[in-house]
Amino acid sequence: MTQDTFVARVEQALEERVANGQPVTFTATAAATGISRATLYRNPELRTLIQEYRLRGVQGPTLSGLSIEIAQLRASLEAVADRARHHEERLRRLERANTTTKATK
């Protein structure tokens, strides 16, 4: 299952909970999506989504709410940047290996 699929499933479950006035929890989200709680906690993007929906239910668009949301968005962006750096490094290693293989032939 891809990251995009996980995000879509979690987002749909969260929207349904908020629309029905139900509390947003990791346990409820795990049950609704079939994604383990551990995965929800460990994956920065999924964790941020759940926390964002929690705040929507508790806080309106106050300055402190916006500040928290900005901090969460910053954390998500940093996670995406780390992942991009990881992929770039992997590509560099593969390119080096490919170049080495061609040179030895």
Side-chain angles (χ1 to χ4, degrees), residues 48 51-52 54-56 58-75:
T48 300
Q51 291 171 338
E52 179 183 322
R54 271 186 174 171
L55 287 174
R56 283 186 196 172
V58 175
Q59 296 177 340
T62 63
L63 287 178
S64 61
L66 291 173
S67 176
I68 292 168
E69 187 174 348
I70 288 169
Q72 289 174 339
L73 290 171
R74 187 171 286 136

Side-chain angles (χ1 to χ4, degrees), residues 19-30:
N20 294 328
Q22 299 171 320
V24 173
T25 64
F26 282 87
T27 302
T29 305

Side-chain angles (χ1 to χ4, degrees), residues 7 12 15 23-24 27-28 31 35 39 46 54 59 61 70-72 74 80 103-104:
V7 170
Q12 180 181 358
E15 287 175 9
V24 173
T27 302
I35 301 170
T39 299
L46 300 178
R54 271 186 174 171
Q59 296 177 340
I70 288 169
Q72 289 174 339
R74 187 171 286 136
V80 170
T104 60

Side-chain angles (χ1 to χ4, degrees), residues 6 10 25-31 33 35-48 50:
F6 279 155
V10 168
T25 64
F26 282 87
T27 302
T29 305
T33 61
I35 301 170
S36 72
R37 275 188 9 210
T39 299
L40 295 174
Y41 276 108
R42 289 182 188 144
N43 184 306
E45 190 173 0
L46 300 178
R47 185 180 188 136
T48 300
I50 293 169

